[in-house]
């Protein structure tokens, strides 16, 4: 597992904890098995869109930006 992506995984775990049990069961493995691939990240972002307002008490677009920046920061550390 690549440690550069741990801040991203931690943020995604926080989001996962806000979801329904079925959604947690689906989303959890995506987080834990995330290897840093762009296609994996795109799937995670698409799923965040499906979860909608559950991912935040505030702006879901702010959450999308945070997650995107964490992914980009990890890729810069290569």
């Amino acid at each position: 597992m690549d440690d550069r992506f741990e801040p991203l995984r931690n943020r995604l775990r926080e989001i996962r904890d806000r979801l329904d049990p079925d959604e947690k069961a689906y989303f959890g493995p995506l987080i834990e098995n995330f290897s840093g691939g762009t296609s994996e990240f795109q799937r995670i972002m698409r799923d965040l869109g499906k979860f909608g307002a559950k991912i935040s008490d505030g702006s879901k677009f702010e959450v999308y930006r945070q997650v995107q920046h964490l992914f980009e920061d990890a890729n810069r550390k290569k």
Side-chain angles (χ1 to χ4, degrees), residues 43-72:
R43 181 176 178 187
I44 286 171
M45 291 299 284
R46 185 179 63 239
D47 290 341
L48 288 179
K50 291 178 186 176
F51 300 141
K54 294 178 189 176
I55 67 173
S56 173
D57 289 331
S59 169
K60 62 184 174 185
F61 297 107
E62 183 179 338
V63 173
Y64 299 150
R65 281 193 305 271
Q66 289 172 349
V67 170
Q68 180 72 41
H69 287 299
L70 289 169
F71 178 71
E72 290 170 357

Side-chain angles (χ1 to χ4, degrees), residues 4-44:
R4 323 177 266 147
F5 293 102
E6 200 56 33
L8 173 61
R9 283 190 201 94
N10 288 335
R11 181 64 177 113
L12 292 172
R13 288 178 188 120
E14 291 171 8
I15 294 167
R16 177 200 59 206
D17 292 344
R18 299 176 59 91
L19 303 175
D20 297 332
D22 289 342
E23 293 167 333
K24 285 181 185 180
Y26 166 77
F27 196 56
L30 295 179
I31 298 167
E32 301 309 322
N33 297 326
F34 181 68
S35 66
T38 300
S39 62
E40 291 175 288
F41 180 71
Q42 289 171 339
R43 181 176 178 187
I44 286 171

